[in-house]
Structure formats: structure tokens, C-alpha cells
Amino acid sequence: MTPMTAQEADLLQKLQAVAEETRLRIVQLLTGGERCVCELQDELDAAQSRLSFHLRKLKDAGVVADRRDGRWVYYSLVPEALEEMRAFLGEVQPESQVWRGGACCG
């Protein structure tokens, strides 16, 4: 197996970040636009420390961005990150013929 490129590693980090129930729900909530962390906390009924952990994972992966306004922090989706994941998943297509068994390595 060939080593992953930096671009592939970046994509993997994004996909891993959203492949968790709470983080997927955060992404779904943010599709409606920027949200204050307190809104997310209320919507998810999550403790602040737990929510911060999940938001950090999404931010580190480049899936969400944050913006501070006074004492409040607002989160939004990074459109380029979503497009990168969408483009990759759109390219994933099953082969036109189903493998029917037989020798593959012989």
C-alpha cells in the first residue's frame, strides 16, 4: 500500500471528525447557519466540556470555524471542507460488474 498524501490525510481527518454521532448532529445543526455555542449546548442537551471536546475535533479537522463576539463564541461550517468530502464521496462508485468470486491473486 502506498503512503497517503497530505491531501488524503486531511480528507481522512475530516471524515473521521464527522463520523461520530454528536459531531454529525453538530454539523446538521450548523447547516442552518452560524450558531452560538450556547445554542448548540441547549439543542444537544450537552455539558459544556463535552460539547467543547466535539467542537475542537471538528475545528481541528477544518470542518467548522469559530468566531468570538465579546464573550460568545459562534460556530459555522467551512464550505470548502464540506465540498471536499462531498466531491470524494461523489466519486466513490461501485464497479459496473459485481465480483463473482474466483482467483484474484493467482
Side-chain angles (χ1 to χ4, degrees):
M1 183 182 282
T2 59
M4 271 200 280
T5 65
Q7 185 178 10
E8 290 169 329
D10 182 60
L11 176 61
L12 179 60
Q13 185 181 16
K14 286 174 176 58
L15 292 169
Q16 287 174 331
V18 299
E20 192 280 331
E21 183 179 355
T22 299
R23 293 191 291 268
L24 182 62
R25 182 73 177 121
I26 291 169
V27 169
Q28 289 172 325
L29 290 170
L30 293 176
T31 60
E34 184 180 70
R35 305 285 289 267
C36 176
V37 71
C38 59
E39 292 176 291
L40 295 171
Q41 191 174 353
D42 289 345
E43 192 74 34
L44 296 167
D45 192 28
Q48 192 274 330
S49 60
R50 179 173 162 258
L51 184 58
S52 291
F53 169 80
H54 289 298
L55 288 165
R56 170 58 62 192
K57 287 282 193 184
L58 290 167
K59 185 178 173 188
D60 288 349
V63 176
V64 301
D66 63 348
R67 174 182 69 83
R68 184 170 289 281
D69 186 8
R71 64 183 196 149
W72 304 110
V73 179
Y74 294 85
Y75 286 87
S76 60
L77 295 172
V78 176
E80 298 83 6
L82 299 177
E83 184 52 40
E84 182 183 355
M85 290 185 285
R86 184 180 297 120
F88 170 76
L89 293 172
E91 291 173 5
V92 176
Q93 298 291 324
E95 291 291 328
S96 59
Q97 292 188 351
V98 175
W99 184 71
R100 301 201 192 307
C104 68
C105 304

